[in-house]
């Protein structure tokens, strides 16, 4: 069906069926929408503040304020903190997907997209692509800043890339939860608020910032199952060449698979209903 | 697929750009659409007229594949809203009540994006964006973010966005709601231009003046039901007929004129000496001819003659027994006039 005439084929005729949008079409649509997401960042550079400044603020704050007290000296603490921060990057930025989705639904833009002959998934996929790019930029800034401060990569580039990859894999599994939040909440601010509420306990109730041994038993129980602890441990193993790697990596992958298995169908179903 | 073949009229009738049968949509316990039938012929403008909450936007959203109906069938350009949404989307353009452009993006980027989503090549999308920016007088503002645009510019950008794919059918959902009169006229000019170029338009509006300005045909809808249907002039004639106003050269002759008309079987004439006018309700051409014949034959000097058509406000009032829109939200141009006595 290349022409849209006013006399389409007979009902029941297979040619009357809606054609599927092929891979090339989907890629083109995702590309165009990703470009839109990136243009939005260009038009509103402040939206990059969190991705750019958070790693710097966290590093400075924790290394110099708490580092000495926690690890005895700042150099040791840097080696502990930086891998942990790198690990959580994926999740932090995944939570932004919901906020973006929410504001698209609030304005008429989503309606416009939905009256165009594009696949439903394209809008979502383009959000994920843009957030992945943001996560990569954020990771690059964190690492650059860390090296300036004297962080040492004790292994190699491959291990470093593996750590970034693991963070992104986990982030992808959080995207579905973020989407559900984005579609359930009434305003973008509410989505952001709830996201912070989820993020903060997970960040601080983990092994990212402090060793868990001094925490009370109930909190230790939480930190043990907290996937961000496993992420931080895995990243530490990969970047510092010390401690176990296989086990925490497995834990992160299992968490990611479980989160995707549970929340992806829910999010997709809800998205289909809304669109 | 066999079940569909048994249903009558499965793909709409040739010549009808939009065809809706028995459309029903509930939102909770509210019946937004309660069995709506509607047809828009190719190349015409149909105004869907009704007060707030009549179901106009619900119908447009169903016809745009944004929501699904609970019952009924609808075909746009021959495509079934339920079974062929993607093909249907290629034939339509939608301009909503709220400008659905990306405020952070420039006018050009907005149009380019939609061109790409409509599968134009990169070069094609660029050319089409430039062409429409030029046409809608937005070339100068092309590189500025849409959030810096005035209300009228934004609405024009929205219209341009809905035109990118050269849609056969254009939905304009209250295109001038919330615009000042000058901007409203700008939008009207644009719509009239599109119509002159052969677009089929389904226009929803609460404003009588808008329907009169733009539409060939009119469907009046209230509480999810179609309550009147027809050509704009036809509908007016059905409801109220016309009023002939005669201004004699010598106002002193008014009573005599009324008496002569009465003698000739024309009843209901009223005189208002203050205005110097004789008003005669007429229901058709023959009566008009009789009145002119009687007055002219008797040698009355006539200074002016005019027919007054009841406004659409009056039409609506006559059909539903209530004013069109909530007076608190109605704009000045939709002020409800006195009904024709």
């Amino acid at each position: 069906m290349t022409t849209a005439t006013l006399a389409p084929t007979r009902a029941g005729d297979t040619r009357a069926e809606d054609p599927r949008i092929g891979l090339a079409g989907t890629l083109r649509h995702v590309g165009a929408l990703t470009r839109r997401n990136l243009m939005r960042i260009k038009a509103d550079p402040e939206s990059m503040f969190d991705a750019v400044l958070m790693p710097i603020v966290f590093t400075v704050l924790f290394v110099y304020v708490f580092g000495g007290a926690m690890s005895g000296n700042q150099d040791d603490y840097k080696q502990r903190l930086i891998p942990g921060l790198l690990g959580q990057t994926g999740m932090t930025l995944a939570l932004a997907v919901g906020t973006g989705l929410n504001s698209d639904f609030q304005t008429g833009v989503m309606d416009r997209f939905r009256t165009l002959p594009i696949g439903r998934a394209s809008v979502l996929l383009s959000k994920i692509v843009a957030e992945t790019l943001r996560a990569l930029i954020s990771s690059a800034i964190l690492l650059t800043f860390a090296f300036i401060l004297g962080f040492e990569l004790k292994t190699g580039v491959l291990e470093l890339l593996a750590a970034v990859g693991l963070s992104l894999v986990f982030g992808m599994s959080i995207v579905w939860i973020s989407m559900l939040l984005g579609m359930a909440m009434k305003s973008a601010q509410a989505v952001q608020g709830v996201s912070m509420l989820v993020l903060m306990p997970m960040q601080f109730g983990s092994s990212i910032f402090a060793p868990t041994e001094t925490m009370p038993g109930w909190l230790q129980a939480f930190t043990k199952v907290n996937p961000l602890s496993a992420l931080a441990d895995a990243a530490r193993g990969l970047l510092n060449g010390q401690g176990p790697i296989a086990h925490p990596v497995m834990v992160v992958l299992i968490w990611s698979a479980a989160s995707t298995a549970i929340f992806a169908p829910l999010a997709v179903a809800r998205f289909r209903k809304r669109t | 697929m066999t079940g569909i073949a048994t249903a009558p009229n499965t793909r709409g009738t040739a010549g009808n750009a939009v065809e809706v049968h028995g459309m029903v949509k509930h939102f909770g316990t509210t019946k937004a659409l309660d069995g709506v039938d509607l047809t828009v012929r190719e190349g015409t403008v149909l105004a869907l007229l009704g007060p707030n909450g009549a179901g106009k936007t619900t119908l447009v959203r169903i016809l745009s594949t944004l929501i699904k109906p609970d019952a009924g069938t609808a075909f746009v350009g021959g495509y079934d809203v339920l079974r062929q949404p993607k093909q249907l989307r290629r034939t339509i353009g939608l301009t909503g009540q709220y400008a659905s452009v990306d405020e952070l993006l420039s006018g050009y980027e907005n149009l380019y994006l939609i061109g790409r989503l409509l599968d134009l090549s990169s070069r094609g999308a660029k050319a089409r964006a430039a062409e429409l920016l030029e046409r809608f007088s937005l070339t100068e503002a092309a590189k500025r973010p849409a959030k810096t645009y005035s209300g009228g510019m934004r609405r024009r950008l929205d219209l341009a966005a809905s035109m990118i794919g050269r849609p056969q059918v254009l939905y304009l959902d209250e295109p001038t709601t919330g615009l000042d009169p000058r901007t409203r006229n700008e939008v009207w000019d644009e719509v009239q231009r599109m119509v002159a170029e052969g677009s089929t338009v389904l226009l929803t509006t609460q404003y009588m003046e808008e329907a009169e300005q733009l539409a060939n045909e009119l469907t009046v809808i209230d509480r999810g039901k179609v309550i009147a249907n027809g050509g704009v002039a036809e509908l007016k004639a059905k409801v109220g007929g016309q009023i002939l106003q005669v201004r004699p050269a010598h106002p002193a002759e008014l009573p005599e004129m009324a008496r002569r008309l009465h003698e000739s079987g024309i009843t209901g004439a009223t005189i208002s000496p203050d205005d110097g006018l004789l008003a005669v309700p007429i229901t058709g051409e023959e009566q008009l001819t009789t009145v002119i014949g009687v007055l002219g034959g008797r040698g009355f000097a006539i200074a002016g003659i005019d027919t007054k058509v009841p406004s659409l406000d009056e039409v609506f009032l006559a059909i539903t027994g209530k004013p069109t829109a909530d007076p608190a939200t109605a704009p000045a141009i939709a002020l409800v006039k006195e009904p024709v006595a």
Side-chain angles (χ1 to χ4, degrees):
Chain A
M1 294 296 287
T2 47
T3 51
T5 64
L6 283 176
T9 48
R10 227 175 29 249
D13 189 319
T14 47
R15 281 174 299 164
E17 292 299 309
D18 237 11
R20 289 191 73 83
I21 292 166
L23 181 65
T26 304
L27 284 177
R28 183 170 48 240
H29 300 155
V30 172
L33 289 164
T34 302
R35 178 188 155 96
R36 171 211 172 214
N37 291 331
L38 298 179
M39 298 291 293
R40 283 177 67 84
I41 293 175
K42 199 180 147 202
D44 178 23
E46 287 166 31
S47 68
M48 277 302 279
F49 273 11
D50 56 342
V52 174
L53 294 179
M54 282 302 260
I56 297 176
V57 170
F58 266 55
T59 310
V60 170
L61 199 68
F62 281 90
V63 169
Y64 293 107
V65 177
F66 303 111
M70 276 193 274
S71 296
N73 71 70
Q74 276 131 13
D75 285 341
D76 286 356
Y77 190 64
K78 263 178 237 161
Q79 296 301 126
R80 164 176 199 92
L81 177 74
I82 304 296
L85 287 181
L86 190 68
Q88 66 157 19
T89 313
M91 172 168 179
T92 331
L93 292 176
L95 287 172
V97 172
T99 314
L101 203 59
N102 185 283
S103 56
D104 278 353
F105 271 114
Q106 299 293 326
T107 61
V109 178
M110 200 59 107
D111 278 356
R112 164 79 69 207
F113 292 155
R114 286 171 52 213
T115 57
L116 295 171
I118 59 173
R120 286 186 179 106
S122 299
V123 176
L124 257 179
L125 283 173
S126 72
K127 277 251 154 3
I128 292 172
V129 172
E131 289 307 326
T132 306
L133 289 175
R134 255 157 68 101
L136 285 174
I137 292 171
S138 189
S139 304
I141 289 170
L142 171 69
L143 286 168
T144 310
F145 192 65
F147 289 132
I148 292 171
L149 292 186
F151 173 75
E152 264 183 86
L153 178 61
K154 295 187 172 156
T155 51
V157 177
L158 278 182
E159 284 85 350
L160 178 65
L161 291 179
V164 172
L166 193 65
S167 169
L168 288 181
V169 166
F170 183 69
M172 289 303 130
S173 74
I174 300 298
V175 162
W176 308 112
I177 300 176
S178 178
M179 275 174 59
L180 278 172
L181 282 177
M183 288 183 283
M185 303 267 134
K186 285 221 166 61
S187 71
Q189 284 92 328
V191 179
Q192 214 155 21
V194 173
S195 299
M196 284 312 287
L197 223 59
V198 174
L199 183 63
M200 293 283 274
M202 282 188 70
Q203 278 179 320
F204 291 98
S206 77
S207 66
I208 295 177
F209 298 101
T212 56
E213 294 85 52
T214 60
M215 298 177 188
W218 59 268
L219 188 55
Q220 277 197 39
F222 176 75
T223 59
K224 273 209 187 86
V225 294
N226 185 346
L228 286 186
S229 293
L231 247 178
D233 294 345
R236 238 170 253 137
L238 284 163
L239 268 53
N240 291 337
Q242 285 173 338
I245 296 175
H247 181 256
V249 169
M250 279 306 293
V251 173
V252 171
L253 292 180
I254 288 167
W255 266 105
S256 303
S259 165
T260 305
I262 296 168
F263 294 107
L266 290 175
V268 170
R270 179 131 193 169
F271 188 72
R272 276 174 180 275
K273 217 175 151 191
R274 279 285 292 262
T275 60
Chain B
M1 292 302 117
T2 46
I4 288 162
T6 60
N9 207 6
T10 41
R11 62 195 154 103
T13 312
N16 287 341
V18 180
E19 214 172 298
V20 176
H21 296 288
M23 190 58 67
V24 175
K25 179 73 187 175
H26 298 261
F27 292 112
T29 53
T30 327
K31 227 173 193 178
L33 294 176
D34 191 1
V36 168
D37 296 325
L38 179 142
T39 315
V40 189
R41 286 181 296 114
E42 252 176 82
T44 66
V45 182
L46 178 97
L48 187 61
L49 183 69
N52 259 328
K56 305 185 296 290
T57 297
T58 305
L59 186 63
V60 169
R61 289 179 74 81
I62 288 173
L63 294 177
S64 315
T65 72
L66 289 172
I67 53 175
K68 290 195 168 81
D70 295 334
T73 57
F75 297 88
V76 181
Y79 295 115
D80 186 332
V81 283
L82 286 174
R83 290 178 56 245
Q84 299 159 304
K86 291 209 180 77
Q87 291 171 92
L88 191 151
R89 285 174 196 160
R90 288 200 183 275
T91 72
I92 62 164
L94 168 66
T95 293
Q97 222 174 120
Y98 308 99
S100 48
V101 295
D102 192 323
E103 306 231 307
L104 287 181
L105 263 54
S106 68
Y108 168 79
E109 281 294 340
N110 264 295
L111 299 186
Y112 177 80
L113 168 66
I114 290 162
R116 291 293 281 160
L117 294 179
L118 283 164
D119 297 327
L120 295 182
S121 67
S122 176
R123 193 187 297 168
K126 269 182 202 151
R128 185 76 176 136
E131 180 190 337
L132 285 167
L133 286 166
E134 178 71 40
R135 171 178 169 167
F136 286 87
S137 320
L138 290 167
T139 305
E140 261 174 59
K143 303 268 180 232
R144 271 169 33 207
K147 67 177 172 197
T148 65
Y149 286 17
S150 68
M153 289 165 79
R154 227 178 274 204
R155 210 64 71 107
R156 291 207 304 269
L157 180 61
D158 205 32
L159 277 173
S162 57
M163 298 283 289
I164 293 203
R166 305 176 201 276
Q168 296 169 36
V169 184
L170 203 57
Y171 305 135
L172 303 175
D173 189 16
E174 305 203 6
T176 61
T177 297
L179 295 185
D180 61 68
R182 198 177 59 87
T183 317
R184 185 200 64 198
N185 287 335
E186 278 174 30
V187 173
W188 283 358
D189 288 346
E190 268 320 319
V191 174
Q192 271 158 346
R193 238 175 101 184
M194 293 178 195
V195 173
E197 287 166 20
S199 294
T200 304
V201 178
L202 173 62
L203 165 87
T204 80
T205 183
Q206 315 183 30
Y207 306 151
M208 311 306 120
E209 197 184 345
E210 189 157 278
E212 272 185 302
Q213 282 282 332
L214 301 175
N216 314 97
E217 286 182 56
L218 192 63
T219 292
V220 185
I221 179 174
D222 191 31
R223 285 172 218 159
K225 282 198 163 106
V226 172
I227 54 173
N229 217 330
V232 174
E234 183 191 333
L235 207 60
K236 279 175 176 169
K238 201 194 306 186
V239 175
Q242 294 189 332
I243 296 174
L244 179 68
Q245 291 178 323
V246 183
R247 183 182 299 280
H250 312 292
E253 291 178 343
L254 280 170
E256 177 67 5
M257 290 165 87
R259 198 173 60 78
R260 293 291 182 188
L261 284 177
H262 192 78
E263 280 172 8
S264 313
I266 304 284
T267 53
T270 55
I271 54 170
S272 49
D274 291 348
D275 302 328
L277 279 180
L278 171 78
V280 192
I282 49 171
T283 53
E285 282 169 25
E286 300 131 45
Q287 281 192 322
L288 180 64
T289 314
T290 311
V291 172
I292 303 299
V294 168
L295 296 180
R298 301 284 168 172
F300 293 109
I302 294 171
I305 189 159
D306 197 9
T307 51
K308 178 177 167 282
V309 179
S311 76
L312 288 173
D313 294 284
E314 291 159 349
V315 169
F316 199 90
L317 197 64
I319 302 169
T320 64
K322 63 171 192 156
T324 48
D326 181 0
T329 58
I333 58 160
L335 275 183
V336 175
K337 292 164 195 137
E338 291 301 310
V340 183

